[in-house]
Every structure is written in C-alpha cells, then in structure tokens.
Amino acid sequence: MKFKLLLLVLVSVCFNLKAQTIPMYVGTYTNGESEGIYKLDFNTRTGALSNLQLAVATQNPSFIAFSPEKNFLYAVGEGETSAVSAFKLKKDGALDFLNTVSSNGKAPCHIFINTSGNKAVVSNYTGGTISLYQINKNGSLEEASQVFDHNTENEKSHAHSAQFFKDDLFVADLGRNAVYQYKLNNNSYELASDAIVKTTGNPGPRHFVLSQNGKHIYVINEHGSSVTSIKRTAKRFKQIDHDSTMSDDYNGENNCADIHLSKDERFLYGSNRGENSIVVFKRNVKTGKLDKIQNMSVHGNWPRNFTLDPTGKFLLAANQISENISVFSIDNATGKLTFLQDLKVPSPVCLLF
C-alpha cells in the first residue's frame, strides 16, 4: 500500500514538472557558431531555461512565426538567398523542412501569419518590398501572390515589419518613416492612403503592436528611441502620444528594436539597443496613453527581440551581441521587471513561444 502511494506521488510530481515545461524556439544569425533554429525548454513556474537543442539547420533565420495551431513554423532567411521557409513541428519538437520560396527582396527581416493560418506577409529590409503568400493546408508556402515595392525615386524603403488585422494590413517602413495601411479588396490588398500619421525628422518606425480591439497602434522608432501612440477613429488615425524609451540620464547612442503589450494591455514593453534595456510603460486602457515607469538592464548586449511567455509572468530578451537570453519576472500589479537569470545561446535574435 505504501509503495502504491509513493508511486502515485512520483507520477504526480513528474506530470506536474512536465506540465509546467513548454518549448521555446530561437531564431538566430548563423554567421558564427549558430547553425539555425534552436529549441529550449522553459519552466513556466520558475522561469528557468534548459535543454538547448538544434531544431533544424537553416541559414540566418532572423525572424520566426508560428501558424495559429502551432503545428507549422515559418522563418525568413536573411542570407544570400533571401528566402522564406516552412517547417512542420515533430512530436519531439524538432522541425521538418517543407519548402522554401523567394522573399522577393533582399534581407527579409520579419514574417507574420494571419489568424486563419492561410496567409503570410514578409518584410524585406534592404529590398524595400512587402511580399504576401498563400499557405497550403499541409503548411507549405506558395510563391508570392502580391509584392509591394515601397521604393520611390526620392526615397529608399526599408520595410521592417507588417501585420494583418482583420481585413487590414499594416506596414512599418523605417526608410520612408511611415506606417501604411492596406485594405483587402476582391481577395487582393490595395494601399488605402499615405502614411496613417505624419512624422517629422527621421524616427525610423521599426515594429508595432495593436491593441486587441484594434483601436490603438503603438510604434517603436529605431532611430528616434521613442514610441508613437496612435488612435484609430471612425474615419482616420491620429497620434495621441509620443514617449522616449530611454532613461532620463542616458545620453549615449541607442537603437530601438521590439515592442509588446502585456496580456491585460495595462503595460507596454520595448527594447533599447545601446542603453541595453527594456523600457516599461504603464498604459491607460481608456485613453491609450503611456507613462514610463522603468528602464531595466537586459544583463546583456543588443536586445534585438524579446517576448512574454504565455502565462504573462515572464519576459525574455534575446541579446544578440552578448549571445545570451535573459529572463525577468513581471510584477502583475506594477508591470515592473526583476532579473532572474540568463542562458548562453549563439546569436539569438528572435524568441517564439
């Protein structure tokens, strides 16, 4: 009887340990020791990272994205071939290669999958183009169905990110200092108008995040080290706020990178490369305006990308130059960060749960 009870306890403990461990995938640059996309185990109770394994060998997977059901993974290949690749997840967490298509522009740096899982959009930084793809039921990619060239005679485009929101497509163009809106019309996307809000100087919009209801857009500006807050009205968009991402006492060079909202949308986070910090803003959920409350060191160098874990209790930053991933706990009441630990990983630049 005692043996059976002990066995049940051990089984229960093992089940709980397994249940609180989830996979995290890491996109990298492969010009050093990295070989491609890596997989780590993440403990959602302690925030510990472990069991680093190569999921698949591929060239410069600098940005990765899941299908909605997380049975397929997509990666840009920011290398000589300028490719976009599709992979199928195996039961052991490894990735099976499905196919590769052209990104239709140099230096693809971002990919986003729509909520239905049948469309992908890729941003080509050097090429200044945005490419749209149909995704087959088996997860493979068709050749691009539409390619938008943002370059003009007077302006060089650096398309840096794009996202679908219902029937809209939004694009952040760092080179032309604008966020553009495309609308779906007869199964194809058309540019709705010029930039949704006017910018001054050279802020360099890089990444952006939308509130769940789509009424607010927050754009992180690479060159301007700032966040532009935009409100969607019945007929147009308007800027409602503009905030620095840096500490008041920091005067060095800085380039912003990534941006995310907390699950409850009460807090907004952004990454500073140079100051090497995560900035934390408290968000007014009614007005959408921001109030900066913290700049937390990433305990590393060059946080190109970061993510919040599915529980919303942890933030993880990918520090490209120092080659480590830093883990922070999130105070649910204040949104502030506390450093927990870090792990060495070769050239991490994108984190995906």
Side-chain angles (χ1 to χ4, degrees), residues 211-283:
S211 59
Q212 294 174 17
N213 60 14
K215 291 184 178 180
H216 293 96
I217 304 174
Y218 298 92
V219 184
I220 195 159
N221 301 302
E222 179 171 334
H223 301 317
S225 296
S226 59
V227 172
T228 301
S229 302
I230 300 168
K231 183 178 181 179
R232 189 173 191 166
T233 65
K235 295 183 178 180
R236 60 185 181 87
F237 299 85
K238 67 176 183 178
Q239 181 178 317
I240 59 171
D241 211 351
H242 189 79
D243 299 273
S244 170
T245 61
M246 296 187 295
S247 302
D248 294 339
D249 58 355
Y250 180 78
N251 298 311
E253 294 184 3
N254 190 71
N255 293 278
C256 288
D258 202 9
I259 187 169
H260 293 282
L261 273 169
S262 62
K263 291 181 72 173
D264 60 12
E265 301 193 326
R266 293 187 299 130
F267 306 102
L268 182 81
Y269 302 89
S271 60
N272 286 308
R273 298 174 300 174
E275 185 181 65
N276 290 330
S277 68
I278 299 294
V279 61
V280 184
F281 294 98
K282 184 177 181 180
R283 176 177 178 263

Side-chain angles (χ1 to χ4, degrees), residues 46-275:
T46 65
L49 287 167
S50 61
N51 197 23
L52 178 68
Q53 296 180 332
L54 181 66
V56 68
T58 186
Q59 186 183 33
N60 289 334
S62 62
F63 205 92
I64 55 179
F66 271 134
S67 62
E69 300 299 321
K70 297 187 178 181
N71 51 345
F72 302 108
L73 185 147
Y74 301 91
V76 299
E78 198 175 338
E80 296 178 1
T81 57
S82 295
V84 189
S85 298
F87 304 91
K88 183 176 181 179
L89 270 74
K90 299 169 67 174
K91 288 184 179 180
D92 63 358
L95 298 172
D96 264 347
F97 172 76
L98 292 176
N99 76 321
T100 294
V101 294
S102 171
S103 72
N104 298 282
K106 292 183 179 179
C109 59
H110 188 273
I111 184 168
F112 188 89
I113 312 300
N114 70 342
T115 55
S116 299
N118 62 354
K119 291 179 183 177
V121 58
V122 170
S123 305
N124 294 289
Y125 180 81
T126 303
T129 55
I130 301 293
S131 303
L132 300 179
Y133 302 85
Q134 289 295 127
I135 298 176
N136 297 313
K137 289 185 178 180
N138 67 358
S140 63
L141 292 160
E142 294 282 349
E143 294 290 340
S145 58
Q146 287 185 273
V147 179
F148 304 113
D149 188 346
H150 277 201
N151 295 289
T152 69
E153 289 185 5
N154 300 319
E155 291 182 301
K156 175 66 177 176
S157 168
H158 291 306
H160 217 307
S161 63
Q163 292 186 39
F164 297 105
F165 184 83
K166 296 184 179 179
D167 287 340
D168 290 338
L169 172 66
F170 293 97
V171 178
D173 192 325
L174 183 147
R176 295 184 62 188
N177 288 299
V179 175
Y180 297 99
Q181 178 193 21
Y182 286 82
K183 283 191 168 293
L184 188 63
N185 184 20
N186 294 324
N187 294 319
S188 64
Y189 282 89
E190 299 175 356
L191 185 63
S193 63
D194 289 335
I196 61 174
V197 296
K198 292 183 178 180
T199 58
T200 57
N202 183 31
R206 179 183 171 104
H207 282 192
F208 59 95
V209 62
L210 290 94
S211 59
Q212 294 174 17
N213 60 14
K215 291 184 178 180
H216 293 96
I217 304 174
Y218 298 92
V219 184
I220 195 159
N221 301 302
E222 179 171 334
H223 301 317
S225 296
S226 59
V227 172
T228 301
S229 302
I230 300 168
K231 183 178 181 179
R232 189 173 191 166
T233 65
K235 295 183 178 180
R236 60 185 181 87
F237 299 85
K238 67 176 183 178
Q239 181 178 317
I240 59 171
D241 211 351
H242 189 79
D243 299 273
S244 170
T245 61
M246 296 187 295
S247 302
D248 294 339
D249 58 355
Y250 180 78
N251 298 311
E253 294 184 3
N254 190 71
N255 293 278
C256 288
D258 202 9
I259 187 169
H260 293 282
L261 273 169
S262 62
K263 291 181 72 173
D264 60 12
E265 301 193 326
R266 293 187 299 130
F267 306 102
L268 182 81
Y269 302 89
S271 60
N272 286 308
R273 298 174 300 174
E275 185 181 65

Side-chain angles (χ1 to χ4, degrees), residues 22-27 40 42 47 49 63-66 70 207 257-263 268-271 278 298 303-319 324-330 337 348-353:
I22 60 174
M24 184 183 76
Y25 290 83
V26 185
L40 282 160
F42 180 73
L49 287 167
F63 205 92
I64 55 179
F66 271 134
K70 297 187 178 181
H207 282 192
D258 202 9
I259 187 169
H260 293 282
L261 273 169
S262 62
K263 291 181 72 173
L268 182 81
Y269 302 89
S271 60
I278 299 294
V298 293
R304 180 181 172 96
N305 176 259
F306 69 95
T307 189
L308 279 68
D309 86 305
T311 70
K313 297 187 300 183
F314 300 96
L315 183 148
L316 297 90
N319 300 310
N324 67 320
I325 296 174
S326 300
V327 184
F328 303 85
S329 63
I330 301 174
L337 306 175
V349 289
C350 188
L351 307 178
L352 180 65
F353 281 108

